[in-house]
Amino acid sequence: MADRSFPDGFLWGVATSAQQIEGGSSQGGRGESIWDRFAATPGRIADGSDARVACDHYHRWREDVGLLKWLGVGAYRFSIAWPRIVPGGRGAINASGLDFYDALVDALLAAGVLPFVTLNHWDLPQPLQDRGGWGARATAEAFVEYAGAVSARLGDRVRHWATHNEPWCIATLGHEQGEHAPGHRDPAEALRVAHHLLLSHGWAVETLRRAAPGAEVGIVLIVVPGWPARPSEADREAVRRFDGALNRWYLDPLFRGRYPADAIADRVRLGHLAGPDLPFVREGDLEAIATPLDFLGVNYYCRAVLRADAAGDPVAVPVTPEQEPTDMGWEVFPQGLHDVLVRLAREYRPAKIYVTENGAAYTDAADATGRIADLRRIEYIDSHLAQAHRAIAAGVPLGGYFAWSLLDNFEWARGYAMRFGLFDVDFATQRRRPRDSAHWYRRVVAAGAVDDLTQQPLLRRIP
Ligand code: FCB
């Protein structure tokens, strides 16, 4: 692996999700999702927007496949809109929903782009929420039915399947902190939700393997490394609690078949569990959850710097970053990606890892010629790729990297103000324009290696 070249066969990609780009929210027989309902509730989305149109990808998908082809990426990670396939949550399958993805998959393959499918990127059908959502065990059964319907149709062509995207976000942001759909603030429910997500994952792995023999099946987790704000015992303990609740709560069941005892004790202390026995776990659940995976998908954006509050629990502190934070307010901390990958490989030994999301929100205006010089995004991606490269050199079985995102899109509770796209989207006209980062990523993908930015005459360094 010379200088900054990546190994042969490394998968270069970009990622999106259905709720964030598709629009067409009541077309083609699509049902309502919990994010449609959430966005329709005043005060939930920062800019008061919703995802009824989003990037109108539902109508412009051919053009978007053209963008992927132009980029030259080997893979495209997208998600299937569950309410497009099972509008009622259970029962009748909407054939026109399957037709949409069937045509998309064929167009991708014809463009030389591998479809990398996520089944659940947060858009639970509202009718399932009405029956208890992820807090209800029956939702895990509904997910397996949905996975069965999609894989029966696409399993002959899709070779990469992820069950869920970031179960921590669904459980904690959606059910404990109330910032995401369905907006609950119930820590005990959040733990049930996490379990039912993991359980449905384990069950669906079997279903997917049957429908798509030889395909790679995995799950996508957000992994956030915690750092103590001060070199104190208390802050290190706060980091342990944070890591237990966010990272190990998912990694340990998936790779070790058990929830982490220290993190369970933390939940008992907080009153979220009555005792160390998890009431929602039934016989056989943990074995199902720990079904061996073909890959672990890792979404990495930043670290968390933590100090202990009076009770010893973690509180994120604003750091003084070397570089300005992204528009999300997230610190740019590329080294964290290397550290996360190395840790996962050492402690959990996944067969393969993909970085399934990494990227940054920045707003840059177009100049008079229409060029959008988003140098900060280029530096963000380049510096993270350099760390991914270091991780490979250290022996991490990293199979690919997906930049988030192909397009500016509906950034959940933050609405449209957060721009993550390699392509700028003018939401009034739906015009897509490549930012400099798109041109740059295209070169990286063609070379299979990242640039040394200092050698790029085109780019000036960010002061
Ligand atoms: C991740 C989500 C993705 C996107 C990025 C910025 O948590 O998976 O949909 O919103 O954050």
Side-chain angles (χ1 to χ4, degrees):
M1 235 176 36
D3 56 79
R4 296 175 90 182
S5 331
F6 281 71
D8 288 344
F10 189 80
L11 219 48
W12 294 94
V14 291
T16 64
S17 88
Q19 183 83 44
Q20 293 176 279
I21 66 163
E22 280 185 7
S25 68
S26 49
Q27 284 170 291
R30 181 185 178 281
E32 187 188 18
S33 79
I34 57 170
W35 272 93
D36 298 333
R37 181 69 65 91
F38 194 68
T41 312
R44 294 301 206 175
I45 309 298
D47 57 4
S49 64
D50 60 50
R52 280 181 292 183
V53 177
C55 306
D56 197 30
H57 171 80
Y58 183 66
H59 298 106
R60 293 167 199 264
W61 60 273
R62 287 186 189 78
E63 177 187 352
D64 293 338
V65 171
L67 304 182
L68 294 162
K69 190 171 180 186
W70 177 85
L71 276 173
V73 288
Y76 171 48
R77 175 172 176 246
F78 64 98
S79 79
I80 309 281
W82 188 347
R84 236 182 240 304
I85 308 300
V86 201
R90 293 193 90 156
I93 303 297
N94 175 34
S96 102
L98 286 173
D99 293 344
F100 174 74
Y101 297 106
D102 195 274
L104 176 62
V105 162
D106 281 346
L108 289 169
L109 291 171
V113 180
L114 291 175
F116 194 114
V117 166
T118 305
L119 286 168
N120 170 29
H121 203 124
W122 306 356
D123 46 1
L124 184 75
Q126 181 63 37
L128 289 178
Q129 188 62 49
D130 297 340
R131 285 175 252 155
W134 284 111
R137 194 172 166 101
T139 298
E141 292 162 15
F143 179 72
V144 177
E145 293 159 9
Y146 157 61
V150 176
S151 58
R153 183 71 176 267
L154 305 181
D156 58 336
R157 282 154 292 156
V158 172
R159 311 314 295 154
H160 298 85
W161 295 89
T163 51
H164 299 297
N165 180 71
E166 300 182 348
W168 176 84
C169 291
I170 299 172
T172 299
L173 298 181
H175 298 81
E176 189 166 354
Q177 300 179 0
E179 292 162 21
H180 279 187
H184 298 180
R185 290 175 186 272
D186 179 347
E189 185 191 25
L191 296 177
R192 274 202 319 277
V193 165
H195 184 67
H196 295 148
L197 283 162
L198 288 167
L199 180 61
S200 67
H201 155 81
W203 286 344
V205 168
E206 296 299 321
T207 307
L208 294 168
R209 288 214 169 110
R210 241 179 289 123
E216 292 185 13
V217 181
I219 189 169
V220 172
L221 301 182
I222 177 87
V223 183
V224 182
W227 284 58
R230 301 158 299 187
S232 68
E233 196 42 53
D235 286 4
R236 274 195 292 276
E237 166 64 8
V239 167
R240 183 199 59 74
R241 294 182 191 182
F242 171 88
D243 184 52
L246 193 150
N247 300 318
R248 290 184 287 115
W249 197 266
Y250 299 89
L251 289 162
D252 283 22
L254 287 166
F255 289 97
R256 296 177 179 162
R258 56 173 189 266
Y259 286 97
D262 64 312
I264 294 176
D266 291 339
R267 291 293 192 170
V268 173
R269 181 178 42 79
L270 290 165
H272 304 164
L273 287 170
D277 290 329
L278 307 179
F280 40 76
V281 177
R282 296 194 194 160
E283 207 184 320
D285 285 7
L286 289 162
E287 288 74 12
I289 292 170
T291 303
L293 298 180
D294 302 300
F295 71 86
L296 171 66
V298 174
N299 293 353
Y300 175 82
Y301 288 94
C302 59
R303 67 173 168 175
V305 178
L306 305 158
R307 70 169 174 75
D309 69 9
D313 288 313
V315 184
V317 297
V319 282
T320 317
E322 285 167 27
Q323 270 175 303
E324 64 180 306
T326 71
D327 288 356
M328 295 291 282
W330 296 343
E331 182 193 11
V332 180
F333 191 67
Q335 183 202 321
L337 177 58
H338 166 270
D339 296 354
V340 158
L341 293 173
V342 168
R343 176 199 182 183
L344 292 171
R346 287 205 183 126
E347 293 183 18
Y348 295 97
R349 309 207 160 278
K352 195 190 264 195
I353 302 179
Y354 291 104
V355 173
T356 34
E357 284 180 31
N358 175 242
Y362 291 115
T363 309
D364 293 291
D367 69 14
T369 67
R371 174 180 167 194
I372 308 172
D374 58 336
L375 301 178
R376 293 173 298 180
R377 182 173 291 100
I378 293 173
E379 288 216 329
Y380 182 98
I381 296 178
D382 181 75
S383 58
H384 285 78
L385 280 172
Q387 296 294 331
H389 187 273
R390 269 184 72 210
I392 295 172
V396 173
L398 186 67
Y401 172 94
F402 292 79
W404 183 271
S405 180
L406 174 66
L407 304 167
D408 291 340
N409 58 51
F410 176 69
E411 178 47 38
W412 309 112
R414 307 292 288 270
Y416 293 96
M418 296 297 132
R419 294 183 170 262
F420 275 95
L422 298 179
F423 285 82
D424 169 89
V425 177
D426 177 340
F427 290 101
T429 62
Q430 291 296 344
R431 178 170 169 216
R432 284 97 160 106
R433 268 190 306 182
R435 296 193 166 103
D436 277 5
S437 55
H439 290 282
W440 172 82
Y441 195 58
R442 181 177 191 234
R443 275 210 312 274
V444 166
V445 169
V450 274
D451 292 336
D452 178 352
L453 288 185
T454 55
Q455 302 300 309
Q456 281 293 335
L458 236 178
L459 305 166
R460 68 176 163 73
R461 301 279 296 179
I462 304 299

